[in-house]
Amino acid sequence: MKKKPTHRRGPRVPGGLEAVYGVHAVRALLERGESPRELWVQEGEAGGRLGDLLDRARARGARVTSHPRDELDRLAQGAAHQGLVAFCPPLAFEAEAALWHRLQGWTAPEAPLLLVLDGITDVHNLGACLRSADAAGAHGVVVPKDKSAPLNATVRKVACGAAESVPVYQVTNLARALARLKELGVWITGTAGEAETSLYEADFTGATALVMGAEGKGMRRLTRQACDGLVKLPMAGQVSSLNVSVATGICLFEAVRQRSSTPPAR
């Protein structure tokens, strides 16, 4: 009689903690000031290659243990762990007050670039948007308290370190927060398929908040009304829209392109 195939389950994450995969993600975690409780490192050369990082984690009180590669593979379930997995308390959103404090005391040579996500409830989309925000050098992501995906382990996994490096500010009322951004000199640009202005006609060189709405529904009515202007992605093919994380990357890197050719304001 043929035996049924056995499916080995991945190792269990220690209770109350979340797994963070990969060298960049763990480094970002430490640079942010967070302290992992445990660190699993792949047996063999990984321990020597990651020596400095492991020493920093130990100095913060992390317990470092060696594990076979297949055990890390099963734990990561497809994520690129690069021989390193950290276990730490769940991520928390940055407070709304922290956003206002940061903008009021702005000292960076470049103007603020913020990504605002309205109604993005899918954790994979949130993670991908955070990854694009990090790659584009965005200074923060703003999400509403309602109608938003949580900052959970899946977001961390998809974001590949961006969830630890890009501050995510949670605001109680998004329309009111956008009005506050305007008072602080930030130009609010929303994205909508029916907009008359192309993305490539907009000006992102100044202080900018780029607003992306949920797939299908787009931005909510009050969010749309709070925008200073609306832009659209020019679509040449048969599809009428793009995945929100793809559209986010395109929009953010148009801002990067414009800013890279414009000297910083003095």
Side-chain angles (χ1 to χ4, degrees):
M1 187 174 180
K2 190 175 180 180
K3 293 183 178 180
K4 293 183 179 180
T6 56
H7 300 283
R8 298 177 67 190
R9 294 184 178 180
R12 297 187 64 178
V13 175
L17 302 179
E18 288 182 349
V20 178
Y21 308 95
V23 176
H24 178 70
V26 175
R27 181 176 289 114
L29 184 77
L30 293 171
E31 289 176 352
R32 184 171 168 158
E34 295 190 42
S35 302
R37 303 283 177 80
E38 292 189 34
L39 216 60
W40 287 10
V41 62
Q42 183 178 316
E43 293 176 344
E45 64 176 13
R49 173 170 51 88
L50 302 173
D52 291 342
L53 197 60
L54 299 181
D55 288 343
R56 289 176 60 189
R58 287 191 184 97
R60 291 184 177 237
R63 185 171 72 96
V64 179
T65 55
S66 297
H67 296 264
R69 175 172 179 171
D70 67 331
E71 192 171 354
L72 297 185
D73 288 343
R74 286 186 287 117
L75 177 69
Q77 297 180 341
H81 57 73
Q82 300 173 296
L84 189 65
V85 180
F87 299 98
C88 52
L91 274 179
F93 290 102
E94 297 283 347
E96 182 173 347
L99 174 60
W100 311 137
H101 178 75
R102 185 181 183 191
L103 291 175
Q104 288 168 341
W106 193 261
T107 58
E110 70 276 11
L113 175 61
L114 300 172
L115 173 64
V116 180
L117 301 176
D118 182 28
I120 308 301
T121 57
D122 182 88
V123 290
H124 293 87
N125 279 337
L126 176 57
C129 286
L130 292 181
R131 189 171 181 177
S132 292
D134 176 75
H139 300 102
V141 176
V142 180
V143 299
K145 189 174 182 179
D146 63 326
K147 305 289 184 183
S148 182
L151 278 179
N152 62 15
T154 302
V155 171
R156 285 179 129 156
K157 182 177 177 180
V158 175
C160 296
E164 285 73 38
S165 60
V166 178
V168 184
Y169 301 98
Q170 187 181 70
V171 299
T172 304
N173 184 296
L174 185 56
R176 196 160 57 226
L178 293 178
R180 177 67 174 142
L181 286 174
K182 289 183 183 181
E183 293 175 0
L184 293 172
V186 179
W187 185 266
I188 314 296
T189 300
T191 53
E194 69 277 10
E196 296 182 359
T197 303
S198 166
L199 169 71
Y200 305 112
E201 297 171 332
D203 182 0
F204 297 116
T205 57
T208 298
L210 179 65
V211 187
M212 308 297 299
E215 289 185 67
K217 296 180 180 179
M219 294 179 292
R220 290 179 286 182
R221 179 179 59 85
L222 292 179
T223 304
R224 181 187 298 261
Q225 291 176 355
C227 293
D228 293 306
L230 300 177
V231 298
K232 66 178 178 181
L233 283 171
M235 305 292 291
Q238 296 299 313
V239 297
S240 59
S241 63
L242 295 173
N243 175 277
V244 64
S245 63
V246 174
T248 295
I250 294 171
C251 293
L252 284 173
F253 275 91
E254 171 58 16
V256 171
R257 184 193 68 81
Q258 292 186 19
R259 288 163 176 245
S260 63
S261 60
T262 303
R266 295 186 180 276

